[in-house]
Each structure stands twice: as C-alpha cells, then as structure tokens.
Amino acid sequence: MNIALCIPTRSSIMQGAFYRLLQASMGMTQYVQANLQGGAYILTSMRAHAGDARNDIVQRLLKDTDAEWSFWLDDDAMPPVDTFQRLFNHGKDIVVPVHRTKTPPFNCPAWMYTDEGTKLRVLLEPPRLQRISHCGMHAALIHRKVFEKMNPLVGEKGCFQVHPGLSEDCFFFQMAGKIGFEVGMDTSFTVDHAMETSVEEVRKLSENTPLLLPHGKGAEEGPPAGPFVSPHPAVPLP
C-alpha cells in the first residue's frame, strides 16, 4: 500500500514548518514501510491560490501515482510526528485533526449541520472521533476513492472550488458528503500553525528531535531556508 504526502503551498515554507513537515514525512514513511509494506510519494504544488495548488496535486495523485491514501498538510502545518498513524488508525475515508485559526479567538473552523439545516460549530470535548460537515483543511488523510468518485463530477474547476461564503476546502468536504463520504474529526490532538521564527526558535523547537537539525560542519549556521517545492513527477521514496 503506497501513500502520498501532499503539500500545497502559496509561498516558501517557513523554517519551523519545514523541519516539522520533514519529521512528519519521515514518521509517515517509516510507518508505511514497517506496517503497510508500502512506499511514499511527495506531491507539492506552488500556486497563487490554495485551491489551484490542491487541484494540481489531485490530478497528479490520480495520474502519476498508485497511492491509496493521501496525507495532506498545509505549508505552515506543525504536525505531531505520529499524525499520519493516528488518523490512519481510525479506518475512515476522510479524517482530520483539530486545527485553529491563526488569529484570536483561535477557534477551530469546523461545523456540523443538523437535520433541519442549522449550522453548528463542532464541540471539541470530550476527545473522540466526531462526524462533521466541513472544516478548514489544514491537515487531512483522504482515501484515493474519494477523489476518483468526485473528480468526474466537478469538471475542470476541480475538487477544490471557491464559492460565495465557502472556501475551497469547505467546498471539498461538503461535496464529499453529498456523494456519500463521511468526514471525521479526531478531537484528541491538534495540528498547529507555524509562525515566522528565528533560527534560535527553530533550535528550541527541535532540541529533542536531532533529525531536524544539521550536525557537524555548518551546523552553527542553522537549518537552511527556502521552499520545499518539487517541480518533478512523483517518485516513490526508497
């Protein structure tokens, strides 16, 4: 079973986020190799609009890979190392962790509709897997069959479309619900946003994870800056 790590981006990934994304990628790859006897792809796209980047990745996922699952992380995501495993273990076609807005009051942008059509904000307590209608897609694990079923229905605009009052990620989740897929949110953990950080702050963040920092010659210069974006087709990791 092969997995795709999908990272849409509108700019260079910040230093702090880059090393946490790398750590999550390694954690995912090791888990897939050890437990699922598979490999991993990394798919990225840099576009001015997040929806365009997500749609680019969906097309490459379906055309260029045989990945059964896609593990999505925004370019400023700070996921725990075991994020993939925790989401995968639920056995759901679409599952997301908690994330919060970057500005006060730091709400979790997730909602559920009642049978009468009333829109309610999702409650995060007690920790559990909770069914939701839609949310922001800061991090998500999505089975390939969701895109295979949705892609022919959405036309050239793709699975991620912006509509009045509806962001591209919320459109995707609502569309998934309409074609028969439930969206689950694991409220037991959060994937935070990275903020602009200094090299020293990155060192403090990563002091217990040596994998994330360079060693030996040049280590005093701190982690390298720059985008984590590949223009090349997906290539399975060894």
Side-chain angles (χ1 to χ4, degrees), residues 20 24 27-28 31-32 35-36 69 71 73 78-98 124 127-130 139-142 184-192:
R20 189 64 70 88
M28 179 196 73
Y31 181 87
V32 169
N35 298 281
L36 306 178
W69 290 91
F71 178 37
L73 295 170
M78 299 286 281
V81 183
D82 61 348
T83 297
F84 171 81
Q85 297 95 303
R86 296 174 73 166
L87 298 179
F88 180 80
N89 286 341
H90 288 297
K92 299 293 185 180
D93 294 322
I94 307 174
V95 61
V96 301
V98 172
L124 303 182
R128 66 199 185 281
L129 183 67
Q130 180 172 343
L141 183 64
I142 303 171
M185 172 173 278
D186 184 338
T187 64
S188 69
F189 75 106
T190 300
V191 172
D192 292 321

Side-chain angles (χ1 to χ4, degrees), residues 23-222:
Q23 186 183 37
S25 171
M26 293 297 293
M28 179 196 73
T29 302
Q30 291 169 358
Y31 181 87
V32 169
Q33 290 175 337
N35 298 281
L36 306 178
Q37 291 75 54
Y41 299 86
I42 296 179
L43 301 177
T44 64
S45 177
M46 181 183 287
R47 298 287 295 273
H49 300 286
D52 292 335
R54 295 188 194 279
N55 286 325
D56 284 350
I57 291 174
V58 170
Q59 296 309 311
R60 292 176 60 198
L61 173 75
L62 297 178
K63 181 180 178 181
D64 298 338
T65 84
D66 60 354
E68 185 171 341
W69 290 91
S70 56
F71 178 37
W72 294 76
L73 295 170
D74 279 352
D75 61 359
D76 63 343
M78 299 286 281
V81 183
D82 61 348
T83 297
F84 171 81
Q85 297 95 303
R86 296 174 73 166
L87 298 179
F88 180 80
N89 286 341
H90 288 297
K92 299 293 185 180
D93 294 322
I94 307 174
V95 61
V96 301
V98 172
H99 84 277
R100 300 180 184 276
T101 58
K102 291 189 283 187
T103 56
F106 307 109
N107 290 325
C108 173
W111 296 269
M112 185 69 193
Y113 286 99
T114 66
D115 293 338
E116 295 74 29
T118 303
K119 183 179 179 180
L120 303 175
R121 188 174 292 277
V122 170
L123 298 178
L124 303 182
E125 297 291 341
R128 66 199 185 281
L129 183 67
Q130 180 172 343
R131 182 181 176 185
I132 65 173
S133 296
H134 64 269
C135 65
M137 193 169 143
H138 188 54
L141 183 64
I142 303 171
H143 197 277
R144 182 186 188 93
K145 64 185 176 185
V146 178
F147 295 115
E148 289 179 334
K149 187 172 183 179
M150 187 184 301
N151 205 43
L153 303 177
V154 294
E156 294 182 356
K157 291 185 178 180
C159 297
F160 295 91
Q161 303 179 20
V162 175
H163 291 267
L166 200 64
S167 62
E168 85 285 344
D169 40 12
C170 289
F171 169 86
F172 165 78
F173 288 122
Q174 284 199 1
M175 187 66 183
K178 291 179 180 178
I179 61 176
F181 294 99
E182 290 187 358
V183 181
M185 172 173 278
D186 184 338
T187 64
S188 69
F189 75 106
T190 300
V191 172
D192 292 321
H193 290 271
M195 300 300 178
E196 290 290 353
T197 58
S198 67
V199 169
E200 182 59 30
E201 288 171 323
V202 173
R203 287 186 182 281
K204 289 179 180 179
L205 175 69
S206 306
E207 60 185 2
N208 294 320
T209 51
L211 166 68
L212 306 187
L213 292 176
H215 296 274
K217 183 178 181 180
E220 67 280 358
E221 298 175 2

